[in-house]
Amino acid sequence: MNGRLLAATLIVGLISCGAPADRIIVAAGTTVVDSGLIDELVAAYRADGGGEVAVVGESTAQSLRLAESGDADVVVAHAPRLEEAFVEAGHARSRVPVFTSTFVLVGPNVGLAAPSMDAAFGEIARNHQFVSRGDGSGTHEAELAVWRRSGITPDGSWYRATGQGMGLTLQVADQTEAFTLTELGVFIQAATTIDLVPADVPPIDNPYSIIVSVGAPDAADRFAEWLTGPSGEEALVEANGRLFGEVIYRPVGE
C-alpha cells in the first residue's frame, strides 16, 4: 500500500470510529515523519498528559488539502508560500512558527563545491543529474525557489521528479548518482543505507509552522500551544539528542 493510500485509509478509519473529542489528526511533512521527529514529539505530548494524536505523513500541499477538507486538524508545514495562501483563504484558526531546520544539497562524491545553493544548482544543470521530489512538499517549494533565483528552468534528461517523499527520493538519487535537496534530519537518518554525501555548499534555512485548521476541536489548540510552549521546546531539544546527538531542529528564536 503506498503512502497516500495508507494516509487516506487511516483518516477514513479514524472518522468512521467516531474519534473522541481529545483525539486529533496531525498532517505532517514527510521530512519530520521520515526523520522520526514528529513521533518523538507526539510521544512526549502524550507522556505529558496530552490526548491522542494520529499522524499522517504527507507533502505540505497535501497536508493543507486534508486540513481544508476537514480531514486533518493540525498541519506541521514548511512551505511558507502555501501556508500563507491557506491562511489568506480563511482555512486556518492559527499559524505559529515552531522550529527551523536546514536544507542541504547531497549527491555523488564528485567534489562539487559552490559559494551558494544558487550557484551549485547552476553547476548541476550544466554537468550533473538532479532528482526532485516534485510533490508540492516544502522541500519541493524550496528547490523551485532556488531554480527561480538561478534563472534556470529545470527540464531535460538531467532532471527527474519522483512525486514521492524524502526517503524514497534520496534512494532514487543514490541509485542514479544524482544530486537532490534534502532536509538534514532525514539525510542523517538515511545516511547508513545510501552513498550520497553533502556537497560543499552552504545550507539554507527550513522554517516550520504549526497550523490549526478552522473547525478543529479544542484539543488541536492544546497540542499547538504545548508544542510552541516551554514543554514542547524541551521535548524538541531532547528529541534532537536522541535522534541525532546534536540540534538539527532548532527552537524558534535560536
Side-chain angles (χ1 to χ4, degrees):
M1 183 179 292
N2 66 41
R4 291 186 177 178
L5 180 56
L6 177 60
T9 303
L10 172 61
I11 292 168
V12 170
L14 287 169
I15 293 171
S16 64
C17 288
D22 65 345
R23 177 187 290 169
I24 59 171
I25 299 174
V26 175
T30 63
T31 45
V32 291
V33 173
D34 290 348
S35 70
L37 180 70
I38 195 66
D39 285 343
E40 290 276 340
L41 295 176
V42 166
Y45 177 65
R46 289 171 176 155
D48 203 22
E52 293 185 52
V53 177
V55 175
V56 178
E58 283 287 357
S59 68
T60 289
Q62 178 62 12
S63 294
L64 292 172
R65 283 192 287 268
L66 291 173
E68 181 179 350
S69 64
D71 292 324
D73 305 304
V74 174
V75 177
V76 178
H78 63 139
R81 183 182 68 86
L82 301 182
E83 296 166 37
E84 290 162 6
F86 186 82
V87 172
E88 290 171 3
H91 300 310
R93 190 154 73 218
S94 64
R95 173 183 176 239
V96 182
V98 62
F99 46 75
T100 300
S101 65
T102 54
F103 287 120
V104 293
L105 182 66
V106 300
N109 191 10
V110 296
L112 176 64
S116 68
M117 194 70 73
D118 298 9
F121 272 41
E123 174 67 18
I124 291 169
R126 290 188 294 271
N127 299 306
H128 300 286
Q129 301 287 309
F130 190 93
V131 174
S132 168
R133 285 183 58 171
D135 63 348
S137 61
T139 307
H140 185 214
E141 283 280 304
E143 175 215 321
L144 292 178
V146 177
W147 290 124
R148 286 194 295 270
R149 291 196 304 269
S150 303
I152 297 169
T153 299
D155 188 26
S157 60
W158 60 273
Y159 185 83
R160 176 179 180 182
T162 67
Q164 300 294 327
M166 196 70 255
L168 181 58
T169 299
L170 281 166
Q171 292 177 27
V172 172
D174 186 49
Q175 293 163 3
T176 58
E177 298 186 331
F179 286 89
T180 191
L181 188 70
T182 180
E183 186 179 70
L184 181 56
V186 182
F187 177 73
I188 290 173
Q189 294 291 57
T192 58
T193 60
I194 58 178
D195 294 325
L196 302 178
V197 298
D200 185 13
V201 177
I204 55 178
D205 280 344
N206 176 28
Y208 280 84
S209 298
I210 184 166
I211 300 169
V212 177
S213 65
V214 170
D218 292 343
D221 299 299
R222 290 194 293 272
F223 177 69
E225 289 164 5
W226 178 89
L227 190 57
T228 56
S231 295
E233 183 173 318
E234 181 180 354
L236 177 66
V237 172
E238 291 176 354
N240 272 285
R242 284 191 296 271
L243 291 169
F244 314 111
E246 60 180 311
V247 177
I248 300 299
Y249 297 88
R250 307 185 302 276
V252 171
E254 292 190 6

